[in-house]
């Protein structure tokens, strides 16, 4: 609940500082978090917050790409600022070496021998790296190691 508390405290801080841009982003995250809680009928926790923030980060990155195509520098700057605020609520990213080490450990733990064991490995690796590293890249690394 560490990140959830940080979100609440940052919201109060942004209100007191009259930082409208930061407050808007935090409120948007809180609204998305509440929607997920209601939709999935689960309690709010750091894992749910990380999932919500990851979705918002992905949306912002996609938007930035579209704004670059349209040469909208004003919107690019605004969206990059939102992205920077969102990054405060994600755990420290893992390096490629750390992810490789985690994957190697899980391959040994599962006794994986072929690509057929990929699901078992992903099931073990996902909780350890989710939100800290791009899961598509994790999947590619596992495929390379199993082939």
């Amino acid at each position: 609940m560490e990140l959830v508390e940080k979100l609440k405290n940052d919201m109060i801080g942004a209100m007191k500082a009259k930082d409208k841009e930061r407050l808007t982003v935090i409120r948007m995250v809180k609204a998305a978090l509440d929607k997920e809680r209601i939709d999935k009928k689960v309690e709010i926790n750091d894992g749910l917050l990380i999932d919500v923030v990851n979705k918002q980060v992905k949306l912002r990155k996609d938007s930035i790409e579209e704004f670059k195509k349209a040469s909208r520098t004003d919107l690019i700057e605004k969206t990059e600022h939102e992205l920077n605020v969102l990054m405060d609520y994600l755990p420290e990213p893992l390096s490629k070496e750390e992810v490789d080490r985690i994957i190697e450990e899980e391959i040994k733990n599962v006794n994986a021998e072929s690509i057929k064991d990929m699901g078992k490995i992903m099931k073990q690796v996902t909780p350890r790296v989710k939100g800290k590293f791009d899961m598509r890249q994790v999947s590619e690394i596992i495929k390379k190691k199993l082939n």
Side-chain angles (χ1 to χ4, degrees):
M1 294 297 262
E2 186 177 302
L3 290 173
V4 176
E5 288 300 316
K6 181 180 183 331
L7 182 74
K8 289 177 186 175
N9 293 335
D10 287 354
M11 187 161 125
I12 293 167
M15 283 182 203
K16 287 180 180 177
K18 298 187 183 344
D19 186 348
K20 289 182 180 179
E21 286 102 17
R22 186 170 184 80
L23 183 59
T24 301
V25 175
I26 293 171
R27 282 183 172 157
M28 177 267 316
V29 169
K30 188 160 177 3
L33 192 60
D34 288 338
K35 183 180 182 321
E36 284 290 307
R37 177 185 57 84
I38 292 166
D39 290 349
K40 294 182 178 178
K41 295 179 175 71
V42 295
E43 289 297 312
I44 293 176
N45 58 33
D46 286 352
L48 185 63
L49 177 61
I50 290 169
D51 288 345
V52 168
V53 172
N54 273 327
K55 288 177 189 173
Q56 296 299 322
V57 165
K58 185 177 183 321
L59 287 172
R60 296 303 181 289
K61 287 180 178 178
D62 292 345
S63 295
I64 288 171
E65 291 302 313
E66 293 300 317
F67 295 149
K68 284 180 181 176
K69 290 177 186 172
S71 301
R72 295 290 309 264
T73 55
D74 55 327
L75 293 176
I76 292 171
E77 289 173 12
K78 180 181 179 284
T79 308
E80 284 176 343
H81 174 71
E82 291 175 0
L83 193 57
N84 289 336
V85 172
L86 290 170
M87 295 309 256
D88 290 345
Y89 302 101
L90 289 177
E92 206 54 45
L94 294 172
S95 69
K96 187 171 184 324
E97 292 77 29
E98 291 171 308
V99 173
D100 278 339
R101 185 182 45 76
I102 290 170
I103 291 171
E104 286 294 333
E105 284 175 23
E106 294 305 337
I107 287 174
K108 288 176 187 168
N109 290 345
V110 176
N111 294 325
E113 297 170 359
S114 70
I115 196 77
K116 293 177 184 176
D117 298 316
M118 183 159 172
K120 294 177 189 173
I121 298 167
M122 284 296 288
K123 189 175 182 179
Q124 299 298 317
V125 170
T126 300
R128 295 177 66 184
V129 300
K130 189 172 185 178
K132 300 176 187 174
F133 200 80
D134 182 21
M135 292 307 292
R136 272 185 262 153
Q137 286 181 311
V138 170
S139 176
E140 290 170 14
I141 293 169
I142 292 172
K143 285 178 186 173
K144 285 179 187 172
K145 291 187 182 292
L146 292 178
N147 284 336

